[in-house]
Structures are given as C-alpha cells and as structure tokens.
Amino acid sequence: MSETGLETTWGRDLNIELDTIDAVLIDEYQSGFPIMERPFRAVGQELDISETNALTRVRQLRETGIFRRFGAVLNPPVIGSSTLAAVSAPEDRFDDIATIINEYRQVNHNYRRDHDWNMWFVVTASAREKRDDILDSIETKTGCDVLKVPMLTDYYIDLEFPVVNTDTFARESVSETDVSATRISEEATGGLSRLEAELLVEIQDGFPLSVTPYHDIATAVESDVDAAAVVDAVDRLRSDGCIKRVGCVVNHIVTGFDANCMVVWNVPDNKLDTYGETVGEFPYVTLCYHRPRRPEQGWSYNLFTMIHGRESSAVDSKIDNLAAEHLPFEHERLYSTETLKQTGARYDELVGTAER
C-alpha cells in the first residue's frame, strides 16, 4: 500500500504518490471528459476541487508520464485509410530499417515483436492511395517485403481500462464489454468540412492544457470560429465516430501493463464473426479484429486479439485458456519486446482534401 492507501503497480521506478482524486482522474476520466468551454471547471465540481486544482493535477500526471496527453482519441479507420503492416528486418539492419520507417510522419506506432515478422507498424493517411504510396516507398527504401493487413472488421477496440490497481492483466476489474461486428472500409475519407479537418489536425497531438482549451483551439485554427463552434464541432465529430473519446490518454507501459501480446489465429472464415464477437466480450481481451490472410507471404492468420498484462505469465495463462476453451485453432503469440515509435496518427493532409 502507498501512503495514500492506494494500491498500484508501476512499470518503472517512478516516484509517484497518488491520492484518491488522482486515482479517479486516471481511471474514470480516460473518456467522458466534459466537452464544454471550461471542462476543468466541470471536473473540479464533480471531484469537489477547484478548476485550477483539476487542471494542475492533469498537467502533473502528464509531466510525470502517466498521461500521454489530454484530449481526443481519434479513430483512424473512419477519418482516413489506415493499416497495420510488418517487415522481416535482418538483425544487422534492424535499427537502420526502423529509422527509415519511423521517419514517415504517417507511421504512428512501431514495435519490435518476437516473430519472423519482427517489426510491426501502423500507417495512417488521408486516403488509401496515399497510404499505399507510403508502403511502396518503405519497400523501396528498406528492400524489405511489406506485409499489409488492414482492419476489415472491428469487434472490440478500446485501450481504456483501470490502472490504479495490482491486477495482473488489463481490464481484470471490468465485468463486461459491449461488442459488435463493425465493417471497416479502406476507402474512408471522413467527408469532413474544412473546419472539421482543421480541428483534427490541430488536436491530433492533444488539447492545450489550459482552463480554456476550446478557446485556444479556436484561436489556432485558420477558420474564423469561436470556442462554442469548436465545442460543437468536437461533439459532432465524436458522435460521427471520427473521435472515439475525449479524456486523459494513459501511458499503459508506465503504469505497468507492459506484457503486450498480439495473438493471431487461423479461424474458419465462415465463423469469424461468431468467434470474434464471443472473444471480444472477454474483459482481458483489449483488442479484437479481423484482418486479411496473406497466403502468398506465408501469413495464414485472420483474427487478431491483444492482451495487455503486467506479467507475461498471466497473459500466457489467458491465451492458454482462449486456445483451450474458445479458439481451438492454430495461433501464434507475438509479444512486443521494444517500442520503436509511439505517437498519435498524423492527419496533416486532411485540410487539402476536406470539403470547402
């Protein structure tokens, strides 16, 4: 137990003392942060603290590294065209290839994983053509074949879960999950107005940490708008699915959930939705989606699940259970062993493609 009476396990040696208010901010404001001109005033009233105190606490949690940022979590497959991709990088060139791939602004995540396909990254662009041009360029510059596996069906995707605890795997404290099979188009462009595109570009790295973030955003965009118009636009983008949630984005690695395993399964195509929806409901499954097989590249897997835990043994136990009780199919476990790049998706080209 900490001096504050809060039990937690951190992933690295952080000199952190949390009180109950910090814990609430961390666990209960990853989404649902008020979309209004003075959001920290509303949060302060809910927590019985001042507006300034609420802002200061979020800023300190950001500076400590527990929060990656404050603001909107964008939804790449709705806004533009996004894909997971991988290369098999020779060990003697691994660092050089990672540098080449990471130099693309449109690459927002890149991880080393324990597999022959050892470097996995995400490319997000304003349109499919631009996305595929980047992948072609990566192949040319690295000399590596690129495995491209865009998301085709979303069963469950959400990295929002309690972290102020000693749970061995993520979402252990969550009782249930809402799951549905949502088809994803590779041709998505968002259908954005110019203001919406400008807003998404402006907020892609987070909201300003001030008592008036929406006013600050309004001042920063080119369109002549006030804070109320920005509030309305952000609320509309959230309702339309371009924004998944608004809140404090937690750095799960820092909070101890660093046993990150992507498990890929060879599931019969005619049973994908059945298995995807069933498995996606399990609280310990943090992500569940359908991606295409690539038999010509030796890739036979079509269902992807992610499990985050504090201990690899606990994660392995859950995977064993999945395989024995629910997914009795060929599978492989791709543990993340190194974070090569982790940023928000980049949408700088959106303004040029927006409706005027």
Side-chain angles (χ1 to χ4, degrees), residues 278-298:
T278 297
V279 170
E281 289 182 345
F282 299 143
Y284 58 84
V285 174
T286 47
L287 307 172
C288 184
Y289 34 72
H290 165 214
R291 297 184 186 274
R293 293 186 175 91
R294 299 298 187 199
E296 71 281 5
Q297 295 175 285

Side-chain angles (χ1 to χ4, degrees), residues 6-16 18 22-23 25-28 30 60-62 64-69 159-172 245 248-260 286 308-311 339 342:
L6 298 175
E7 196 171 3
T8 188
T9 301
W10 301 106
R12 59 182 171 86
D13 187 17
L14 294 176
N15 183 20
I16 298 174
L18 301 176
D22 288 330
L25 284 169
I26 293 169
D27 279 356
E28 297 185 20
Q30 296 176 38
Q60 289 174 341
L61 290 167
R62 169 65 180 86
T64 303
I66 295 176
F67 290 157
R68 290 176 53 201
R69 66 182 186 277
L159 283 178
E160 177 188 356
F161 50 78
V163 299
V164 184
N165 52 49
T166 55
D167 293 350
T168 54
F169 58 88
R171 307 181 71 250
E172 187 174 349
R245 55 188 167 96
C248 300
V249 180
V250 170
N251 184 341
H252 300 105
I253 301 298
V254 168
T255 58
F257 291 98
D258 54 359
N260 169 342
T286 47
H308 291 72
R310 288 194 167 106
E311 301 173 2
T339 300
Q342 188 179 58

Side-chain angles (χ1 to χ4, degrees), residues 3-78:
E3 292 180 359
T4 60
L6 298 175
E7 196 171 3
T8 188
T9 301
W10 301 106
R12 59 182 171 86
D13 187 17
L14 294 176
N15 183 20
I16 298 174
E17 290 189 9
L18 301 176
D19 60 19
T20 55
I21 293 176
D22 288 330
V24 171
L25 284 169
I26 293 169
D27 279 356
E28 297 185 20
Y29 283 92
Q30 296 176 38
S31 65
F33 217 89
I35 301 176
M36 58 197 314
E37 292 187 35
R38 301 291 290 259
F40 290 98
R41 177 182 293 171
V43 169
Q45 291 172 346
E46 292 171 1
L47 299 179
D48 196 25
I49 60 177
S50 70
E51 176 183 38
T52 302
N53 192 352
L55 171 62
T56 298
R57 286 172 178 270
V58 171
R59 183 179 289 138
Q60 289 174 341
L61 290 167
R62 169 65 180 86
E63 291 172 352
T64 303
I66 295 176
F67 290 157
R68 290 176 53 201
R69 66 182 186 277
F70 158 69
V73 175
L74 307 187
N75 195 358
V78 175

